[in-house]
Amino acid sequence: MRLVIARCSVDYAGRLTAHLPLAPRLILVKADNSVSIHADDRAYKPLNWMSPPCSLKVSEAGNAESEAAAVWTVENRTGEKLIITMAEILHDSSHELGVDPGLIKDGVEAHLQELLADRMETLGEGWSLIRREYPTAIGPVDILGRDAEGATIAVEIKRRGEIDGVEQLTRYLELLNRDPLLAPVRGVFAAQEIKPQARTLATDRGIRCVTLDYDALRGIEDDKLRLF
């Protein structure tokens, strides 16, 4: 991961336009070339970002009259661009983080995964399980299954569904759809509570949202053990 602190301005050009005026900011560049720009507030949420897959091109300012030290152009496969104009670089360092072991889910998320894997019909009649914690190069998919027509379904489970979870599932889907044995793969974002922004983003990306009732699922589990 590369960490850059710089006085910079940022322009986004795509489905809409946005501009961040000149100010000191933190820029994170990850190994997948994704870029996010942060201020010294707002917790983890960036001011602007470009998700992978994308490319990063750095050009040195060639005009002596320009105050820019360099211009970074980040572009995704749809042609959207994030243009970062550096006036002054205050810090620049790189760190090798290695392979992340992944998020250890809390008890509720782990139990939701177990319940859904056991009762795939909760998500759709005729659905079946392929595998829990299906391994990929960027981490395990919570549940990989098939719908009634035999199409592959990737399910991401959260206790509280937010935009980060949708982004995570999007990355899994992009990777899984490169496998001809699985493609086409559709996504299901399942959580006890799904934030409106996350639901909007998921719908825009063709991902189905499912709100889970944990108590009802546990009741389904109990009913399975009864004879009458």
Side-chain angles (χ1 to χ4, degrees):
M1 179 181 291
R2 185 178 178 186
L3 309 176
V4 177
I5 299 175
R7 290 178 58 248
C8 64
S9 61
V10 182
D11 292 279
Y12 169 80
R15 287 172 291 181
L16 48 82
T17 58
H19 174 72
L20 293 172
L22 187 67
R25 297 186 177 94
L26 168 64
I27 303 165
L28 300 183
V29 184
K30 296 188 178 180
D32 57 9
N33 278 341
S34 62
V35 175
S36 57
I37 297 124
H38 299 259
D40 199 11
D41 62 2
R42 306 181 186 217
Y44 65 88
K45 187 175 181 180
L47 297 168
N48 214 326
W49 67 94
M50 187 69 76
S51 300
C54 58
S55 63
L56 169 61
K57 180 181 178 181
V58 178
S59 58
E60 300 297 329
N63 186 350
E65 298 179 357
S66 173
E67 294 183 359
V71 177
W72 292 13
T73 303
V74 188
E75 184 174 0
N76 65 16
R77 61 186 180 185
T78 64
E80 294 174 301
K81 292 182 180 180
L82 200 62
I83 301 169
I84 308 168
T85 304
M86 308 283 193
E88 181 183 8
I89 296 176
L90 306 171
H91 173 86
D92 190 346
S93 63
S94 297
H95 307 270
E96 180 60 52
L97 302 185
V99 178
D100 191 88
L103 178 68
I104 299 175
K105 293 183 177 293
D106 65 22
V108 172
E109 286 187 16
H111 198 203
L112 281 171
Q113 183 189 120
E114 180 182 346
L115 289 169
L116 282 175
D118 189 47
R119 292 287 189 175
M120 288 293 289
E121 64 269 23
T122 302
L123 299 177
E125 184 177 353
W127 287 37
S128 60
L129 175 71
I130 296 176
R131 179 171 172 175
R132 288 174 56 191
E133 299 288 339
Y134 184 86
T136 76
I138 57 174
V141 178
D142 288 340
I143 290 177
L144 197 70
R146 295 195 187 281
D147 65 14
E149 287 72 42
T152 309
I153 308 294
V155 184
E156 179 64 26
I157 300 168
K158 300 293 184 187
R159 182 169 63 176
R160 184 176 181 180
E162 302 192 59
I163 285 177
D164 284 354
V166 178
E167 293 285 6
Q168 182 181 0
L169 179 54
T170 300
R171 292 193 293 271
Y172 288 146
L173 290 171
E174 288 177 349
L175 190 63
L176 292 169
N177 273 301
R178 297 175 194 171
D179 187 340
L181 297 179
L182 297 175
V185 185
R186 293 186 291 115
V188 173
F189 188 54
Q192 288 180 276
E193 174 192 1
I194 300 177
K195 293 294 184 179
Q197 300 93 330
R199 188 179 294 274
T200 299
L201 181 61
T203 301
D204 182 66
R205 295 181 176 180
I207 295 171
R208 175 188 166 199
C209 291
V210 175
T211 303
L212 301 173
D213 185 329
Y214 184 41
D215 291 333
L217 280 171
R218 287 188 296 176
I220 289 172
E221 183 185 53
D222 291 340
D223 289 343
K224 186 181 178 184
L225 301 177
R226 298 173 187 166
L227 295 177
F228 305 100

